[in-house]
């Protein structure tokens, strides 16, 4: 089950699939950025900083692991698709940190991109990364052009006005006044959950998963994304800036599940979404072990906190 976040040293396998997959994703991102490097130097430096300054790489790892769990076909396309989602994610962080939005000073233990390069270059870097994301899908090798078309649709829908863009607007305009967990779920789904679903779905599409498997994979990633956002809300309150690599207590004054219902309710909600994610993944029939290990690591910091 995905909720088993406690492991002993004796049970640790010799191979480390999470770290190996993360290393592959990191090398792929570095290679793609190197291909497009050039003038203007400041723009490309800002793009590199946004991507290579750190990050858990949960989304590309998830894409690649779902692909492998579904049979591993078109693995190279899945690598490209995972990179595309990470480019979009990092572009969204640049925009989220801007003074006109969250007005953040830190990201991944470093000054936010706009604090180093200025707001104008930061915005252009975000646009550049979005374009690079589309390019990954367009150029990735595939023997089936239907896969490419489906992947492009998944990515554009996740970014657009029914996804990430809408989520950011709701976060800016309505989150502070949200009155229920359902209201927060809608915002968190659009702002965070959609890219989790896109990453998982792209990996499954590349592998040629059945429609029934795709439906369960989407359900799995939906709940995983909501759990991840609640995890971030919890860490914002209990962890230091040094531990998270970004400004802490940025949610003060905003409506979060912690503020609406308390820390214990937020922790319970996170566990509930992880249990639902586990059930959906099990129903999909995909191999779970490596994905479960990824999730154990991502949620370890929260699971170790007292209830």
């Amino acid at each position: 089950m995905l909720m088993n976040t406690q492991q002993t040293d004796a049970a640790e396998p010799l191979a480390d699939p999470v770290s190996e997959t993360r290393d592959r994703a990191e090398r792929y991102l570095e290679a793609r950025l190197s291909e497009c490097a050039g003038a203007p130097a400041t723009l490309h430096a800002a793009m590199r900083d946004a991507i290579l300054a750190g990050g858990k790489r949960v989304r590309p790892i998830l894409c690649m692991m779902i692909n492998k769990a579904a049979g591993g076909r078109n693995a190279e396309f899945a690598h490209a698709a995972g990179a595309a989602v990470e480019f979009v994610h990092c572009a969204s962080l640049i925009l989220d940190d801007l003074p006109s939005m969250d007005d953040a000073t830190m990201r991944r233990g470093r000054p936010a991109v706009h604090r180093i390069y200025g707001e104008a270059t930061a915005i252009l870097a975000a646009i550049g990364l979005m374009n690079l994301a589309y390019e990954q899908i367009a150029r990735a090798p595939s023997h089936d052009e239907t896969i490419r078309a489906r992947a492009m649709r998944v990515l554009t829908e996740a970014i657009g006005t029914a996804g990430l863009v809408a989520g950011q607007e709701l976060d800016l305009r309505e989150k502070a006044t949200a009155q229920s967990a359902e209201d927060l779920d809608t915002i968190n789904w659009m702002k965070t959950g959609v890219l989790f679903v896109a990453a998982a779905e792209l990996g499954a599409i590349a592998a040629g998963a059945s429609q029934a498997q795709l439906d369960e994979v989407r359900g799995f990633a939906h709940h995983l994304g909501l759990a991840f956002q609640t995890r971030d809300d919890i860490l914002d309150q209990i962890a230091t800036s040094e531990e998270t690599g970004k400004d802490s207590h940025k949610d003060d004054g905003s409506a979060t599940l912690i503020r609406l219902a308390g820390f214990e309710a937020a922790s319970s909600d996170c566990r509930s979404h992880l249990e639902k994610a586990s059930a959906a993944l099990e129903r999909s029939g995909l191999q779970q072990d490596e994905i479960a290990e990824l999730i154990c690591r991502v949620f370890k910091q929260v699971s170790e906190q007292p209830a």
Side-chain angles (χ1 to χ4, degrees), residues 21 28 45 54 79 95 97 113 119 127 139 145 150 158-159 196 201 218 277 289 298 304:
T21 306
Y28 195 98
H79 289 185
L95 299 175
D97 288 342
V113 171
E119 292 180 49
I127 295 171
R139 294 178 56 188
E145 288 303 309
R150 292 175 67 191
I159 295 170
F196 275 81
E201 187 173 1
R218 289 192 197 98
D289 292 349
V298 170
E304 290 177 343

Side-chain angles (χ1 to χ4, degrees), residues 21 25 55-66 78-79 81-90 92-93 108 164 191-203 224-225 228-229 231-232 294 298:
T21 306
K56 295 174 286 295
R57 309 302 187 209
V58 177
R59 294 155 190 83
I61 294 172
L62 183 62
C63 182
M64 295 158 69
M65 283 190 165
I66 288 286
H79 289 185
V85 175
E86 187 70 1
F87 286 140
V88 170
H89 170 58
C90 291
S92 75
L93 297 183
R108 294 171 173 170
L164 194 62
K191 187 173 180 182
T192 302
V194 289
L195 286 188
F196 275 81
V197 173
E201 187 173 1
L202 288 168
L224 181 62
F228 189 87
Q229 182 58 55
R231 163 200 176 276
D232 262 13
L294 167 65
V298 170

Side-chain angles (χ1 to χ4, degrees), residues 29-52:
L29 292 167
E30 170 74 44
R32 299 293 79 76
L33 286 167
S34 296
E35 287 176 358
C36 70
T42 52
L43 174 63
H44 292 288
M47 291 168 64
R48 289 182 66 84
D49 267 13
I51 297 293
L52 301 179

Side-chain angles (χ1 to χ4, degrees), residues 20-156:
E20 290 172 358
T21 306
R22 187 189 188 284
D23 288 346
R24 288 199 302 274
E26 199 74 30
R27 290 194 298 270
Y28 195 98
L29 292 167
E30 170 74 44
R32 299 293 79 76
L33 286 167
S34 296
E35 287 176 358
C36 70
T42 52
L43 174 63
H44 292 288
M47 291 168 64
R48 289 182 66 84
D49 267 13
I51 297 293
L52 301 179
K56 295 174 286 295
R57 309 302 187 209
V58 177
R59 294 155 190 83
I61 294 172
L62 183 62
C63 182
M64 295 158 69
M65 283 190 165
I66 288 286
N67 177 264
K68 182 179 179 181
R73 291 179 294 278
N74 287 309
E76 193 171 352
F77 188 90
H79 289 185
V85 175
E86 187 70 1
F87 286 140
V88 170
H89 170 58
C90 291
S92 75
L93 297 183
I94 294 175
L95 299 175
D96 192 47
D97 288 342
L98 290 172
S100 59
M101 298 205 190
D102 274 5
D103 195 17
T105 62
M106 288 179 59
R107 177 67 67 176
R108 294 171 173 170
R110 291 165 51 86
V113 171
H114 71 273
R115 304 279 291 194
I116 301 174
Y117 299 97
E119 292 180 49
T121 297
I123 292 169
L124 293 173
I127 295 171
L129 290 173
M130 290 280 191
N131 188 69
L132 198 54
Y134 296 131
E135 186 178 338
Q136 301 315 298
I137 302 296
R139 294 178 56 188
S142 176
H143 300 298
D144 186 349
E145 288 303 309
T146 302
I147 289 177
R148 191 187 315 282
R150 292 175 67 191
M152 190 66 79
R153 180 174 179 179
V154 167
L155 186 65
T156 55

Side-chain angles (χ1 to χ4, degrees), residues 177-259:
T177 58
Q179 298 297 313
S180 68
E182 290 74 19
D183 292 340
L184 291 175
D185 272 357
T186 298
I187 297 170
N188 292 340
W189 154 245
M190 288 184 170
K191 187 173 180 182
T192 302
V194 289
L195 286 188
F196 275 81
V197 173
E201 187 173 1
L202 288 168
I205 287 172
S210 69
Q211 186 59 52
Q213 287 177 316
L214 279 172
D215 290 342
E216 297 296 353
V217 164
R218 289 192 197 98
F220 155 74
H222 174 93
H223 288 293
L224 181 62
L226 292 176
F228 189 87
Q229 182 58 55
T230 302
R231 163 200 176 276
D232 262 13
D233 292 343
I234 292 171
L235 290 179
D236 179 73
Q237 297 299 308
I238 66 174
T240 65
S241 296
E242 289 73 22
E243 290 172 320
T244 63
K246 58 185 180 180
D247 300 339
S248 60
H249 294 278
K250 287 295 288 184
D251 290 334
D252 292 353
S254 295
T256 65
L257 194 57
I258 296 172
R259 186 178 176 190

